[in-house]
Amino acid sequence: MPFDPTVCGEVPSSHNTFLTALLCVGTFLSYLPQHLKILNRRSSDGISPYFILLGTIGAGSNITNIVLLQFIALQCCTVQTLGVCVASLLGIVQVCIQGGMFYITFVLYMAFFPEQSKYVAAEETEETDGEARPLLGRMQRATLEWQTALWVAAAVATHAVVCILMSALLVMAVGPYAGPTRTWASLLGLFSLCLTCMQFFPQIVKTWRAGAVGALSIPMMLMQTPGGFLFAYSIAIRPGVNWSSWISTFVAATLQGVLLAICLVFDAREKRALSVDDRSAGDSQPSPAADA
């Protein structure tokens, strides 16, 4: 179906435009504490690779979903004023910011993967009279954690290539408004929903077993949990979007709230333990009077 400029008459309300613009800024700012914490610690220890895998692939699927479903907004910019065009594209920008910031989290996770968790020493041995003896030098083998992280990186790259190529082929072959393209977009939305439903479970389990917050950022979650519900609402009220575009964000906000509650409990426990240790250390030091 060719592009029809007459369908570009519907413009987002000023309320929706303001809310979406506010959420774009808030989404960008909310990821900064997580990025800064990894950079300051120089370590991504405590973050689950499966949380990164599901979150990054889900973000990529969500970006592709909304770009295809709101492809009309991109084409309408050719016949709209700059202000109306920007307002119409804010829904796409909003999802792209969220996905892009999670991709940055993925890059930081890989770049600052703990060095001590990458390899373990493995001695080469030779059999002599039925007895294993070490050869000169030591070999290093990758740990299961590092192998998993490398597999996650390969899966993320493969998914991105598939989304880009498949979407481009459908748009060029049958058009952005044809049934196959819309079906592909909806399937990606459902796929993103499934990944989002599972995304926080590995991180919840890892954090619960570790009993510590690690590299996770509590300020990020404090901003993102309520913001996630607003995010889902702002997407849902945009024209041309169905439930598959916002439901994953709603589910993510709910599960992130559970993770936030666990992290707050562990963080409070860690602070109490440090306070007790500081008091104990102070009590054990002899007073100046006693030394005299």
Side-chain angles (χ1 to χ4, degrees):
M1 184 177 68
F3 169 61
D4 182 7
T6 60
V7 302
C8 300
E10 189 175 4
V11 179
S13 66
S14 57
H15 167 73
N16 188 23
T17 299
F18 174 77
L19 177 61
T20 306
L22 189 64
L23 284 171
C24 286
V25 176
T27 300
F28 175 80
L29 294 177
S30 69
Y31 275 95
L32 292 182
Q34 180 64 77
H35 297 166
L36 292 174
K37 185 169 185 178
I38 295 176
L39 289 170
N40 290 334
R41 286 168 53 97
R42 310 292 295 178
S43 171
S44 58
D45 183 40
I47 299 179
S48 168
Y50 299 107
F51 168 73
I52 293 295
L53 171 68
L54 299 175
T56 310
I57 291 181
S61 298
N62 214 21
I63 290 173
T64 311
N65 166 272
I66 199 164
V67 168
L68 291 176
L69 289 181
Q70 287 206 301
F71 200 87
I72 185 67
L74 296 171
Q75 292 187 316
C76 283
C77 278
T78 60
V79 296
Q80 291 173 331
T81 63
L82 179 61
V84 174
C85 173
V86 171
S88 300
L89 293 180
L90 278 179
I92 298 176
V93 172
Q94 181 182 1
V95 175
C96 288
I97 289 176
Q98 184 188 42
M101 295 299 279
F102 204 99
Y103 269 95
I104 293 175
T105 305
F106 155 70
V107 171
L108 292 175
Y109 168 79
M110 294 299 300
F112 293 100
F113 193 91
E115 290 293 332
Q116 69 274 15
S117 301
K118 286 185 178 181
Y119 300 99
V120 292
E123 289 186 344
E124 281 192 319
T125 60
E126 61 177 353
E127 293 288 337
T128 305
D129 299 329
E131 182 180 353
R133 295 183 179 179
L135 293 172
L136 293 177
R138 285 177 176 270
M139 296 288 291
Q140 285 189 324
R141 61 180 177 85
T143 63
L144 180 59
E145 276 187 278
W146 181 232
Q147 291 177 13
T148 303
L150 293 176
W151 175 81
V152 165
V156 168
T158 301
H159 172 266
V161 171
V162 170
C163 280
I164 293 172
L165 290 181
M166 187 66 177
S167 300
L169 286 173
L170 284 171
V171 170
M172 290 186 294
V174 299
Y177 314 115
T181 306
R182 307 290 286 187
T183 300
W184 166 246
S186 293
L187 287 175
L188 285 174
L190 290 173
F191 183 52
S192 177
L193 167 62
C194 294
L195 294 183
T196 302
C197 290
M198 299 183 293
Q199 171 188 352
F200 285 94
F201 288 112
Q203 187 60 60
I204 289 171
V205 171
K206 185 177 181 68
T207 302
W208 182 266
R209 288 177 176 174
V213 178
L216 289 174
S217 171
I218 289 178
M220 177 195 71
M221 290 185 283
L222 284 172
M223 288 187 283
Q224 286 189 354
T225 300
F229 293 109
L230 282 175
F231 197 167
Y233 170 74
S234 69
I235 295 174
I237 62 178
R238 297 195 72 84
V241 174
N242 60 32
W243 63 271
S244 68
S245 294
W246 61 264
I247 190 66
S248 60
T249 306
F250 179 84
V251 174
T254 303
L255 295 178
Q256 191 172 45
V258 175
L259 179 61
L260 172 61
I262 294 174
C263 287
L264 287 173
V265 171
F266 287 159
D267 185 63
R269 187 175 66 183
E270 289 174 9
K271 289 179 178 178
R272 283 197 302 269
L274 287 174
S275 178
V276 171
D277 290 342
D278 290 342
R279 286 199 299 269
S280 299
D283 294 341
S284 64
Q285 292 179 354
S287 64
D291 291 341

